[in-house]
Amino acid sequence: VQLQASGGGLVQAGDSLRLSCGASGRPESPGILAWFRQAPGEERKFVAAVRWPTSRSYYADSVKGRFTVSRDNSKNELNLQMTSLKPEDTAVYYCAKRLHWAVDYYNPGQYSIWGQGTLVTVSS
């Protein structure tokens, strides 16, 4: 399975942006698709995740109410709709996949499959 993230770019504060992550191969067991982000000099941090097949979503407090994560089963794609972007949202965004549920889904160490990252820059 490989992941390919896209959709990053330079936007202004308050703008919206949509990230996509295409996955090759269908998931073979229940698991998690997630977005993480990493700002310069910082650790990789959890942003949002969707669990399948339940489609339940999870969010970091910092993005709750502004970001929406979704999975398009027909395209085998994970999306992240970001609104009301802030300069502190600037980071490289990574999609990740884990086969099988983990209660600490917010821990990047739980994921073994990663996309290459896409840069989001929000100017003030």
Side-chain angles (χ1 to χ4, degrees):
V1 175
Q2 292 184 332
L3 302 177
Q4 183 79 22
S6 62
L10 172 63
V11 297
Q12 293 185 336
D15 285 351
S16 300
L17 201 61
R18 182 179 178 89
L19 305 182
S20 295
C21 177
S24 62
R26 294 187 60 82
E28 299 172 346
S29 63
I32 317 165
L33 283 168
W35 289 99
F36 289 81
R37 66 187 182 186
Q38 188 167 16
E42 297 186 9
E43 295 183 345
R44 194 166 296 188
K45 298 178 181 178
F46 172 74
V47 175
V50 60
R51 179 179 181 180
W52 82 84
T54 65
S55 295
R56 182 171 178 177
S57 56
Y58 305 84
Y59 296 93
D61 288 342
S62 60
V63 306
K64 200 171 293 183
R66 299 189 297 123
F67 292 10
T68 302
V69 64
S70 61
R71 181 168 178 258
D72 186 333
N73 292 335
S74 65
K75 298 180 180 179
N76 204 13
E77 187 175 87
L78 177 70
N79 297 305
L80 184 69
Q81 179 67 46
M82 305 185 293
T83 64
S84 301
L85 282 162
K86 304 175 182 180
E88 50 263 43
D89 293 319
T90 295
V92 176
Y93 284 70
Y94 298 89
C95 54
K97 180 177 179 178
R98 173 183 166 85
L99 300 179
H100 306 291
W101 171 247
V103 293
D104 56 340
Y105 54 84
Y106 47 84
N107 179 357
Q110 290 289 351
Y111 296 79
S112 59
I113 304 170
W114 291 86
Q116 85 286 5
T118 185
L119 176 62
V120 174
T121 304
V122 184
S123 63
S124 58

